[in-house]
Amino acid sequence: MKPNFTEKSEQKIQEALSHYPTRQAALLPVFWIAQEQFGWISQEVMELIAARLDLSPAHVYGVATFYTMLYKKPVGEYHLQVCRTLPCALMGSDSIIGHLKKRLGIEDGETTEDKKFTLTTVECLASCGTGPAMMVNEKYYEGLTAEKVDQILEKLK
Amino acid sequence: MELVLTKNFSLPESWTLAVYEKTGGYQAVRKALQMKPADVINEVKSSGLRGRGGAGFPAGMKWGFVPQNTGKPTYLCVNADESEPGTFKDRPILEKDPHRLIEGAMIASYAIQCHTAYIYIRGEFDLSLKRIEAAVQEAYRKGYLGKNIFGSGYDLEIYIHRGAGAYICGEETALIESLEGKRGYPRIKPPFPAVQGLFGCPTVVNNVETLSSVPFIIEKGAAAYKAIGTEKSPGAKLFSICGPVKKPGVYEVPLGTPLRTLIREYAGGMADGKVLKAVIPGGSSVPILTAQEVEEVNLDYESLQSKGSMLGSGGVIVIDEGYCIVRALMNLARFYAHESCGQCSPCREGTGWSYKILKRFEEGEGTEQDIDLLLDIGKKMTGMTVCVLADALAMPIASHIGKFREEFENHIGKSCPATS
């Protein structure tokens, strides 16, 4: 079945469209609305967005693939995005990433079999003074240690 | 020094309108609305305020470039897409004092006669987004935004636009492209945004910290602002400091403060058992300083330039003796390769190629020729692209190798000898 926007999403889209003089400018807001509703941006969702905003599917695809926070494949219930850029690396992010891989039994970019956790290494979260840092869904966890990571995983289980 | 940017940070619920107003908030914009727009611009010009996003262009001059009576709308874009590694100074403004930013954006909008402003905020900043959204709503509810603000006849709408994780969108023309619903590809300049920016209309793009400095300037006057800092680098600046220091964080200091003071007094010195090796003083893209140079330099535009580095965004990255410079450069090359938008070949290919060579070094397979090859690639990336992302890696390549060449040579034929 082809995806469709819910009434709630449609209201948000109308609101977003009112902020800009062109429909195309509402593309990023509509991506966020779509990701909130569907969990990720599939090709069918891209086609839905293209039709809604009078854009070509190719344009929508080109934009979606440019931005790392728009998921082009499904992610687990908890998406662990661990910063690996220099300030976090100076504070030991490499070992945090290694610890997470071991604990979850997955590699970077993979999802656990029970679809609970996805692990992704990302570039700079602007949490440099409190590194190593990771984002779980939309919440920041900072000053990570192996013990702290274990506690976070335990809470999320 | 009278604090310009952080005076409210420690107050309970500092992000609310009630607290902001109790500390004198929204008085500066009332004053500005009684001035002529040109006089507001002149006051900011006189203050010597330079853009705090990294490029350091005089803010008032930027506003002055906007042509009037073009028949087109004028736009203000607030650049809250903070993504430079080492730089986390805008985040506390958004989280702890969002109304200061809104007031600064209102004054700037009035000065350039803009009626629609967008706050482009980086997608990862969840708490910042919530706080700035709530603050904008509070301002609307009080009638501080919308039609006929403070009975002045001036109208202004402010909308929040959330980015989606692309570092390049902090570059002002890429930000505009992204706002227009496209990939964040930087534009060739000229035309500059002031003439042809968002939706083809005159546009000013200003950083969060720049705009948050404006209420002070209007309220207390350009002279009061100029009294802080140095003659050529007036005012206060937020510096974020990270790495193995005792108290990493965001500190407001007068420009001209010695870098060693920021490290030793504000950040409490090196963490226990750590010895300073090097500092990247202005966000990851600027040339690195040796421990000796750290002793000799002040945090202002001219002093850092005299040492071959830059003030940049004010993101100070401290590196200790236990950390390998080759590894540090490899990490940065990976960042820039990942974040290159791919529009220009020298950047798209150069950043990725540099990363591959440096990774080889870390794995013990680097050669003497590779060191020169890295320098050569860096030279061929410099100034050859639409924006400066390529230069942002070329500068660290040249300075890391130039100042720490022996560490690269020590890697030849063996894997990293100093992995911490």
Side-chain angles (χ1 to χ4, degrees):
Chain A
M1 200 174 74
K2 282 194 174 177
N4 219 337
F5 286 119
T6 60
E7 205 174 305
K8 193 176 156 202
S9 294
E10 185 53 41
Q11 275 173 6
K12 288 183 187 169
I13 292 170
Q14 296 279 7
E15 164 82 12
L17 282 166
S18 73
H19 296 172
Y20 309 96
T22 69
R23 296 169 82 76
Q24 182 177 278
L27 183 52
L28 271 187
V30 171
F31 271 134
W32 281 118
I33 294 163
Q35 186 151 291
E36 193 186 354
Q37 183 185 322
F38 300 108
W40 64 293
I41 311 287
S42 64
Q43 201 164 320
E44 290 77 23
V45 169
M46 290 184 209
E47 284 165 16
L48 172 71
I49 293 170
R52 182 66 186 81
L53 296 179
D54 292 331
L55 299 169
S56 75
H59 178 81
V60 173
Y61 181 79
V63 176
T65 51
F66 189 78
Y67 295 97
T68 52
M69 294 185 79
L70 303 176
Y71 305 145
K72 273 71 69 180
K73 57 179 190 179
V75 293
E77 187 183 348
Y78 297 107
H79 189 190
L80 314 179
Q81 301 189 70
V82 193
C83 180
R84 60 178 183 175
T85 311
L86 183 58
C88 277
L90 283 164
M91 303 310 286
S93 61
D94 287 353
S95 66
I96 296 296
I97 293 163
H99 184 71
L100 274 163
K101 283 182 182 172
K102 209 170 137 193
R103 274 293 309 256
L104 299 171
I106 51 174
E107 286 299 309
D108 187 3
E110 292 181 350
T111 302
T112 52
E113 263 179 32
D114 61 1
K115 312 279 182 226
K116 196 100 180 168
F117 297 104
T118 298
L119 175 66
T120 313
T121 56
V122 296
E123 298 298 346
C124 199
L125 289 175
S127 190
C128 318
T130 38
M134 73 170 170
M135 213 165 72
V136 180
N137 295 344
E138 302 210 317
K139 189 175 180 338
Y140 272 47
Y141 289 90
E142 299 167 284
L144 296 176
T145 58
E147 296 73 44
K148 217 166 165 181
V149 165
D150 289 344
Q151 285 166 12
I152 294 163
L153 291 180
E154 210 50 51
K155 259 194 205 162
L156 298 178
K157 267 183 181 170
Chain B
M1 180 194 79
E2 191 176 359
L3 294 173
V4 175
L5 294 149
T6 58
K7 68 171 186 168
N8 288 1
F9 277 18
S10 56
L11 299 176
E13 306 222 300
S14 61
W15 51 89
T16 60
L17 194 142
V19 172
Y20 187 60
E21 284 207 291
K22 255 187 221 160
T23 61
Y26 289 109
Q27 291 305 318
V29 65
R30 284 182 171 89
K31 184 176 170 187
L33 288 170
Q34 287 170 2
M35 296 162 69
K36 286 184 188 146
D39 292 339
V40 176
I41 293 176
N42 282 335
E43 197 68 26
V44 174
K45 269 187 193 165
S46 306
S47 75
L49 173 67
R50 294 171 65 162
R52 303 293 196 225
F57 193 81
M61 201 187 286
K62 202 182 215 184
W63 297 1
F65 287 154
V66 174
Q68 294 298 324
N69 307 315
T70 59
K72 293 178 179 176
T74 298
Y75 292 104
L76 175 76
C77 295
V78 180
N79 189 344
D81 192 49
E82 179 169 71
S83 315
E84 175 94 352
T87 309
F88 50 104
K89 62 171 182 89
D90 289 343
R91 204 177 133 198
I93 297 179
L94 292 157
E95 290 179 3
K96 295 178 179 169
D97 206 0
H99 283 286
R100 187 171 306 279
L101 170 63
I102 294 169
E103 187 175 16
M106 290 169 77
I107 296 168
S109 296
Y110 173 71
I112 61 169
Q113 287 295 285
C114 136
H115 299 289
T116 308
Y118 295 99
I119 299 175
Y120 187 106
I121 184 166
R122 84 173 279 188
E124 292 91 338
F125 275 176
D126 185 43
L127 180 60
S128 303
L129 179 69
K130 286 192 178 108
R131 291 265 165 88
I132 191 76
E133 271 179 347
V136 166
Q137 281 168 13
E138 270 189 309
Y140 268 111
R141 276 200 300 274
K142 271 260 194 164
Y144 292 1
L145 288 172
K147 300 275 179 210
N148 192 22
I149 295 166
F150 302 121
S152 65
Y154 175 67
D155 306 335
L156 176 66
E157 306 293 339
I158 293 186
Y159 302 118
I160 314 263
H161 190 95
R162 185 182 180 195
Y167 165 74
I168 191 59
C169 292
E171 195 278 342
E172 62 176 9
T173 58
L175 183 151
I176 288 169
E177 287 279 304
S178 178
L179 235 167
E180 289 181 356
K182 301 177 217 160
R183 302 166 79 101
Y185 278 180
R187 292 177 181 172
I188 292 170
K189 294 184 272 190
F192 288 92
V195 177
Q196 196 177 317
L198 187 62
F199 308 120
C201 301
T203 302
V204 165
V205 184
N206 277 151
N207 173 260
V208 166
E209 186 188 343
T210 315
L211 289 169
S212 301
S213 305
V214 170
F216 180 97
I217 293 165
I218 296 302
E219 189 192 340
K220 312 233 162 153
Y225 191 74
K226 278 198 94 154
I228 306 165
T230 70
E231 197 190 332
K232 286 186 176 168
S233 294
K237 166 106 192 71
L238 294 185
F239 288 91
S240 54
I241 177 164
C242 64
V245 289
K246 285 203 178 87
K247 292 186 291 171
V250 176
Y251 300 99
E252 177 174 2
V253 302
L255 286 172
T257 302
L259 175 54
R260 62 174 185 276
T261 305
L262 179 76
I263 297 171
R264 288 184 198 145
E265 290 175 24
Y266 288 84
M270 296 299 289
D272 291 338
K274 302 282 185 181
V275 177
L276 180 75
K277 181 198 268 187
V279 170
I280 304 174
S284 65
S285 61
V286 313
I288 197 167
L289 299 171
T290 62
Q292 180 58 41
E293 287 170 321
V294 168
E295 298 298 320
E296 300 159 357
V297 78
N298 296 335
L299 293 167
D300 60 61
Y301 295 96
E302 293 73 29
S303 181
L304 279 154
Q305 206 173 1
S306 75
K307 288 282 174 210
S309 192
M310 293 158 75
L311 185 77
S313 57
V316 177
I317 304 172
V318 174
I319 300 173
D320 65 279
E321 282 288 353
Y323 204 85
C324 164
I325 290 291
V326 181
R327 175 167 285 238
L329 187 59
M330 178 190 76
N331 188 303
L332 293 180
R334 184 178 62 197
F335 172 82
Y336 287 102
H338 184 268
E339 299 296 340
S340 171
C341 80
Q343 184 178 196
C344 310
S345 307
C347 177
R348 184 185 62 245
E349 304 302 325
T351 52
W353 191 6
S354 302
Y355 170 56
K356 281 180 194 162
I357 294 170
L358 286 158
K359 193 160 176 285
R360 229 166 44 217
F361 257 94
E362 275 294 283
E363 288 162 358
E365 289 166 21
T367 65
E368 183 74 35
Q369 289 88 329
D370 281 340
I371 302 177
D372 295 326
L373 179 59
L374 275 169
L375 291 168
D376 194 42
I377 294 168
K379 270 186 205 150
K380 286 175 177 140
M381 284 157 69
T382 305
M384 303 300 280
T385 48
V386 170
C387 80
V388 293
L389 190 139
D391 303 51
L393 176 59
M395 285 190 287
I397 287 174
S399 67
H400 280 63
I401 295 176
K403 291 175 184 173
F404 297 94
R405 189 171 178 120
E406 66 204 47
E407 287 203 28
F408 289 81
E409 288 168 347
N410 287 343
H411 271 68
I412 294 169
K414 54 186 173 205
S415 59
C416 184
T419 307
S420 63

